[in-house]
Amino acid sequence: MSVFNDKKIEKIGILTSGGDGPGMNAAVRAVVRCSLNQGLAVDGIMRGYAGLLKEEIIPLGHRSVSNIINRGGTILKTARSKEFGTPEGKKKAVQILKQHKIDCLIVIGGDGSYRGATELFEVHGFPTIGLPGTIDNDLYGTDQTIGCHTAVNTALEAIDKIRDTAHSMERVFIIEVMGNKSGYIAAEVALGAGAEEVIVPERKFDFEAMCRHIRKGNDRGKISWMVVVAEGAGKAHEIASTVTTMTGLETRFVVLGHVQRGGVPSGRDRILATRLGAAAVNLVIRGEFGKAVGILQDEINIIDLKNATHKEFKHLDEFRNLVKILT
Ligand code: F6P
């Protein structure tokens, strides 16, 4: 029997928070089934921290997570909550959790959700565990976050289609991808799509040099370009108009947007989510809280939740250089 601060852990609360990502359902399923197998009860909290403050809490049984491993989105729904962001909001959240006899909370989400879970643990002493669920892959302590792999594949599928029209109509395309303040998705997508340029928030970008490069290429007979921009680095429509002005070439832009958040989770995301869900329940069994689970070099990796936000994308420069070299 797991114990935290002399209190027996008998019931786990689970919520998904912030932007949804394909694979979150697989994580919920793993947490529910592993917990029940260990004799722990599970309550699902609907709509993230917002739903917690409204006491939208339902018991989850074995069957409530049937047939969801292959479904995008999250059966628990998700939201962003201003009220939870306040100290009063967090105090109220802890009161509600205790009223419902929830002994610890597993939070599936990104950096904002992790910060909330950290404060519940560090400031209010409520046992929490973070499970990395965001397409952005911007958390520390894990090579991948749940949803990123599928999102990259979705973006690649779209770009493959854009490439057909770009080449046929001899145009420059600026394609904006998600990622919040991170260029991870953009760099992976650019490399996988064989794009000519990638613009990320983590590095300065020389627009004039890019336009000169496009012009020169055009002089040599090149007729189409794919430029991937991370949403945190600039707006595709503004970059497109700069490129038109500076090169005189016909330029279009596409904002891939929320399409990247949906769809059937890839096998990799389902497996990642399942391993991480099981690892989170193992932490509960061991009575270890204030932790974030991740996978580094294919091994389960546990770090303090408070250290899990902010991540420098390790292969960023390698990926950017490759995009340039392979043009
Ligand atoms: O964090 C996931 C994410 O999809 C980011 O890539 C994006 O910036 C943000 O969420 C969009 O949020 P919303 O769906 O609230 O507009």
Side-chain angles (χ1 to χ4, degrees):
M1 175 62 71
S2 162
V3 171
F4 179 72
N5 280 350
D6 297 329
K7 180 156 187 349
K8 273 191 201 164
I9 303 286
E10 290 171 323
K11 186 157 74 170
I12 297 180
I14 181 170
L15 59 81
T16 48
S17 163
D20 51 278
M24 278 185 167
N25 281 328
V28 172
R29 172 181 177 270
V31 168
V32 171
R33 297 243 166 119
C34 290
S35 303
L36 296 176
N37 281 339
Q38 295 286 344
L40 294 160
V42 188
D43 271 359
I45 298 159
M46 302 300 291
R47 297 176 185 80
Y49 295 121
L52 172 57
L53 294 178
K54 291 189 190 142
E55 294 190 60
E56 295 181 35
I57 300 173
I58 50 164
L60 294 176
H62 199 85
R63 290 281 153 255
S64 54
V65 291
S66 295
N67 297 317
I68 65 166
I69 195 166
N70 56 333
R71 279 167 57 192
T74 158
I75 59 158
L76 295 179
K77 311 272 192 242
T78 182
R80 303 187 199 278
S81 168
K82 281 215 173 88
E83 189 188 356
F84 181 76
T86 65
E88 299 73 39
K90 293 202 182 62
K91 230 167 124 183
K92 184 174 160 190
V94 171
Q95 275 166 8
I96 293 172
L97 287 163
K98 287 184 176 164
Q99 275 160 22
H100 283 259
K101 300 197 180 333
I102 294 173
D103 302 311
C104 67
L105 181 65
I106 295 181
V107 172
I108 304 174
D111 58 351
S113 316
Y114 266 34
R115 272 191 283 274
T118 302
E119 216 177 307
L120 288 183
F121 181 73
E122 299 285 339
V123 181
H124 300 272
F126 192 85
T128 54
I129 291 168
L131 219 153
T134 166
I135 63 165
D136 300 335
N137 201 16
D138 57 353
L139 292 170
Y140 190 75
T142 188
D143 283 335
Q144 281 279 323
T145 55
I146 299 161
C148 181
H149 185 253
T150 309
V152 167
N153 278 346
T154 302
L156 288 178
E157 224 179 287
I159 294 177
D160 288 347
K161 293 186 170 118
I162 295 167
R163 182 180 282 283
D164 290 344
T165 175
H167 203 66
S168 301
M169 296 200 70
E170 308 189 1
R171 284 170 168 165
V172 182
F173 264 86
I174 314 294
I175 299 145
E176 186 180 310
V177 296
M178 276 191 170
N180 197 7
K181 295 189 185 94
S182 160
Y184 188 94
I185 293 178
E188 280 223 325
V189 163
L191 200 56
E196 275 73 26
E197 288 284 358
V198 58
I199 307 172
V200 293
E202 291 91 343
R203 300 285 183 272
K204 267 199 166 156
F205 191 77
D206 186 341
F207 286 96
E208 284 190 18
M210 174 178 78
C211 290
R212 275 198 307 275
H213 191 67
I214 291 175
R215 247 309 4 132
K216 268 196 197 155
N218 187 241
D219 291 344
R220 287 198 307 269
K222 186 170 168 59
I223 55 167
S224 68
W225 287 262
M226 312 294 277
V227 176
V228 177
V229 57
E231 63 175 350
K235 294 277 156 248
H237 69 275
E238 288 170 8
I239 298 169
S241 102
T242 308
V243 172
T244 308
T245 312
M246 291 175 86
T247 65
L249 295 170
E250 216 177 359
T251 308
R252 294 287 190 269
F253 71 89
V254 176
V255 179
L256 290 182
H258 289 80
V259 70
Q260 294 157 101
R261 285 237 299 258
V264 170
S266 66
R268 207 159 108 185
D269 271 328
R270 296 181 203 190
I271 292 158
L272 176 73
T274 301
R275 290 179 73 189
L276 291 174
V281 176
N282 281 340
L283 282 183
V284 175
I285 306 293
R286 298 207 300 263
E288 287 181 38
F289 296 99
K291 305 285 181 197
V293 291
I295 292 185
L296 276 186
Q297 294 181 359
D298 211 29
E299 298 282 343
I300 295 292
N301 183 53
I302 311 295
I303 61 167
D304 285 346
L305 245 180
K306 60 176 185 296
N307 297 331
T309 38
H310 304 302
K311 174 180 176 174
E312 168 70 352
F313 169 22
K314 290 194 277 293
H315 316 302
L316 183 59
D317 291 324
E318 181 204 334
F319 279 31
R320 282 175 79 228
N321 289 339
L322 275 176
V323 167
K324 277 212 167 332
I325 290 167
L326 298 174
T327 299

